[in-house]
């Protein structure tokens, strides 16, 4: 597709000193000015480890499992190709009119509809932060679930004003104030506050589209997703190939912390204000948040629509991103003792809260929707006025 998503666009124009020279040299070395991270295409692209069966995969990967390792199982593999102009690079080297980046992708569900070959990232308008939970907001505000209504109330009352201050300062180029909310506010190593991140992740686990990709700390859970159709729960037919992605979350978090620090990256504040990125564990959330996150040993990674995360991962000295495949063979699951009922527990009230009624209700929130909910929750008029003003300013 044409153009680059938000983090790519900001980073490629002002890369960190660590990678600026490498980025330019890799592009110049390729006859077609490509950065090709598809498996097996270049010396810096990841390799694919092929296993004889899912049992063999489980045996090998379980032996090398360490805390912080995350897995994602899929029944198909996908690749993305972005092509666009990097202004500063083209100005320095006029022959480079466009740069193409190709990679094996894990695109978040929210962005899959805009990632076709004929689509253009430059036409995509990034969502304001509250619009990431627009359908969840509507589901919660129409419900009588006290826990989630209180969660949404606290997001609006506590986290949104902090985000508005951070984003307002970040967008003022003259101030250059690094207003970092810190680990006490942010979830995991993301740039997203805990309550808001929880709501985004929970929405994803109950089949609402989101800006994150769900992973699992459990290899067995990932193997189930790599061998079964989600809707039916049926095992794939013989001859198909399952895939399990393994990510070293500690290494990925370390890379992002370095690259997105204001010391290394001139536009770090803009990224922090306009994009979602990072890793968060949601498996520890109480059953009040629903039963699926715990049952699936859930984790969330934000920002995987950006080729930069793959670029940084594949060029790192650590084994951040691995791809493991295997042929599907019915009856070849002796080590896999999981069925869909384990992953989607019964008597889960949250499943009915996030119903199909609002699953496609992703259009931007209206001010009257926000004000109505805040009034129902007895928030003070000045608090309501502030949130609406932040919305109108584009900060949240």
């Amino acid at each position: 597709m044409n153009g680059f998503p938000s983090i790519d666009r900001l980073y490629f124009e002002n890369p960190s000193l660590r990678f600026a020279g490498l980025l330019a040299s890799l592009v110049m070395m390729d006859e077609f000015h490509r950065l090709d991270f598809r498996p097996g295409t270049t010396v810096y692209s990841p390799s694919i480890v092929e296993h004889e069966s899912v049992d063999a995969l489980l045996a090998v990967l379980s032996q090398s499992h360490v805390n912080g390792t995350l897995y994602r199982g899929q029944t198909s593999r996908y690749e993305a190709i972005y092509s666009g102009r990097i202004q500063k690079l083209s100005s320095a080297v006029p022959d480079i009119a466009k740069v193409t980046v190709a990679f094996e992708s894990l695109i978040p569900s929210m962005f899959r509809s805009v990632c076709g070959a004929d689509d253009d990232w430059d036409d995509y308008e990034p969502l304001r932060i509250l619009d990431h939970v627009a359908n969840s907001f509507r589901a919660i505000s129409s419900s009588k679930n006290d826990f989630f209504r209180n969660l949404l109330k606290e997001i609006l009352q506590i986290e949104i004003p902090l985000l508005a201050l951070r984003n307002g300062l970040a967008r003022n180029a003259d101030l250059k104030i690094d207003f970092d909310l810190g680990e006490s506010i942010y979830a995991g190593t993301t740039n997203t506050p805990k309550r808001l991140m929880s709501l985004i992740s929970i929405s994803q686990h109950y089949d609402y589209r989101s800006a994150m990709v769900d992973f699992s700390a459990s290899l067995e859970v990932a193997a189930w997703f790599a061998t079964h159709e989600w809707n039916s729960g049926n095992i794939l037919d013989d001859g198909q190939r399952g895939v399990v992605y393994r990510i070293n979350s500690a290494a990925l978090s370390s890379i992002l912390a370095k690259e997105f620090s204001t010391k290394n990256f001139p536009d770090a504040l803009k990224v922090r204000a306009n994009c979602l990125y990072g890793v968060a564990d949601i498996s520890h959330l109480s059953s009040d948040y629903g039963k699926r996150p715990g049952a699936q040993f859930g984790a969330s990674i934000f920002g995987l629509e950006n080729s930069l995360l793959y670029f940084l991962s594949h060029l790192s000295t650590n084994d951040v991103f691995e791809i493991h495949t295997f042929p599907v063979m019915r009856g070849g699951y002796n080590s896999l003792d999981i069925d869909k009922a384990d992953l989607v527990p019964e008597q889960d009230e949250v499943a009915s809260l996030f119903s199909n009624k609002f699953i496609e209700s992703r259009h931007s929130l209206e001010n009257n929707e926000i004000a109505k909910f805040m009034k129902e929750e007895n928030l003070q008029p000045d608090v309501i006025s502030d949130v609406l003003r932040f919305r109108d300013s584009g900060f949240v």
Side-chain angles (χ1 to χ4, degrees):
M1 66 182 298
N2 295 319
F4 297 105
S6 301
I7 296 180
D8 282 357
R9 190 160 50 242
L10 290 166
Y11 187 92
F12 289 152
E13 289 294 350
N14 287 292
S16 72
L17 294 177
R18 285 206 313 153
F19 282 109
L22 180 59
L23 173 63
S25 63
L26 289 176
V27 171
M28 293 170 65
M29 285 168 54
D30 187 273
E31 177 183 2
F32 300 102
H33 305 138
R34 294 174 303 191
L35 290 171
D36 200 338
F37 296 108
R38 291 173 296 183
T41 56
T42 57
V43 295
Y44 49 80
S45 62
S47 58
I48 297 176
V49 181
E50 298 185 353
H51 301 266
E52 294 181 353
S53 66
V54 68
D55 282 348
L57 176 145
L58 289 167
V60 171
L61 294 190
S62 61
Q63 289 181 352
S64 55
H65 175 83
V66 296
N67 289 337
T69 302
L70 299 178
Y71 306 90
R72 177 176 172 82
Q74 295 185 176
T75 57
S76 301
R77 294 168 53 206
Y78 304 93
E79 65 178 39
I81 300 176
Y82 300 161
S83 182
R85 181 179 178 84
I86 300 176
Q87 186 63 42
K88 287 188 177 180
L89 186 57
S90 296
S91 298
V93 187
D95 289 343
I96 303 178
K98 278 190 174 183
V99 172
T100 298
V101 185
F103 56 101
E104 176 138 349
S105 63
L106 299 172
I107 302 293
S109 55
M110 178 174 285
F111 303 108
R112 291 172 193 164
S113 62
V114 298
C115 284
D118 297 326
D119 291 316
D120 195 325
W121 274 114
D122 293 334
D123 293 335
Y124 175 76
E125 184 175 349
L127 296 178
R128 289 176 290 178
I129 192 68
L130 271 177
D131 291 330
H132 279 276
V133 293
N135 48 2
S136 302
F137 187 107
R138 295 183 176 109
I140 293 169
S141 62
S142 68
S143 79
K144 296 182 180 179
N145 185 301
D146 290 337
F147 177 82
F148 275 94
R149 289 186 70 91
N150 189 60
L151 175 68
L152 187 54
K153 174 183 175 180
E154 290 179 343
I155 289 172
L156 293 166
Q157 188 176 22
I158 299 171
E159 295 186 343
I160 288 303
L162 288 172
L163 286 175
L165 177 58
R166 181 198 72 180
N167 295 353
L169 292 172
R171 293 177 190 181
N172 190 321
D174 295 328
L175 292 177
K176 296 186 182 300
I177 296 175
D178 185 2
F179 184 70
D180 190 342
L181 299 182
E183 294 181 359
S184 63
I185 301 295
Y186 288 138
T189 58
T190 73
N191 65 331
T192 308
K194 294 175 182 178
R195 297 177 185 83
L196 182 60
M197 190 285 306
S198 297
L199 186 54
I200 295 172
S201 297
I202 298 306
S203 304
Q204 170 73 20
H205 277 76
Y206 287 90
D207 298 328
Y208 280 24
R209 294 183 184 180
S210 79
M212 51 74 64
V213 176
D214 48 335
F215 282 76
S216 176
S218 167
L219 174 57
E220 289 74 16
V221 168
W224 187 93
F225 278 97
T227 53
H228 293 73
E229 296 177 351
W230 171 246
N231 289 330
S232 68
N234 294 332
I235 297 175
L236 299 180
D237 294 331
D238 283 1
Q240 293 183 259
R241 295 193 70 84
V243 57
V244 170
Y245 297 95
R246 180 160 77 164
I247 286 186
N248 182 333
S249 66
L252 176 59
S253 297
S254 177
I255 290 169
L256 294 178
K258 288 181 181 178
E259 289 306 303
F260 293 165
S261 70
T262 53
K263 178 180 178 181
N264 293 325
F265 179 30
D267 282 333
L269 297 181
K270 290 182 182 178
V271 168
R272 200 177 296 159
N274 293 284
C275 316
L276 299 180
Y277 64 85
V279 183
D281 175 14
I282 62 169
S283 63
H284 66 283
L285 294 177
S286 73
S287 59
D288 289 325
Y289 289 90
K291 295 182 179 180
R292 292 189 191 180
Q296 297 176 20
F297 298 91
S300 305
I301 299 183
F302 294 83
L304 287 172
E305 72 278 11
N306 295 276
S307 65
L308 175 65
L309 270 70
Y310 304 87
F311 170 81
L312 297 175
S313 297
H314 298 329
L315 294 179
S316 168
T317 55
N318 298 306
D319 292 326
V320 179
F321 187 92
E322 300 175 10
I323 305 171
H324 297 262
T325 68
F326 59 91
V328 172
M329 296 180 291
R330 288 180 177 270
Y333 303 91
N334 297 324
S335 301
L336 192 59
D337 188 23
I338 294 178
D339 58 35
K340 189 172 181 179
D342 297 316
L343 306 176
V344 186
E346 296 180 351
Q347 298 180 342
D348 186 354
E349 294 182 6
V350 178
S352 59
L353 171 63
F354 292 109
S355 66
N356 290 337
K357 179 179 179 181
F358 297 99
I359 199 167
E360 296 298 333
S361 180
R362 300 190 302 274
H363 55 280
S364 296
L365 289 167
E366 301 288 344
N367 278 3
N368 62 337
E369 294 179 90
I370 299 171
K372 179 177 181 293
F373 173 80
M374 296 181 77
K375 288 176 183 176
E376 290 174 352
E377 293 301 308
N378 298 314
L379 290 173
Q380 294 297 315
D382 59 329
V383 176
I384 299 173
S385 176
D386 284 346
V387 170
L388 299 183
R389 178 164 51 85
F390 298 149
R391 285 280 291 175
D392 291 339
S393 299
F395 295 151
V396 294

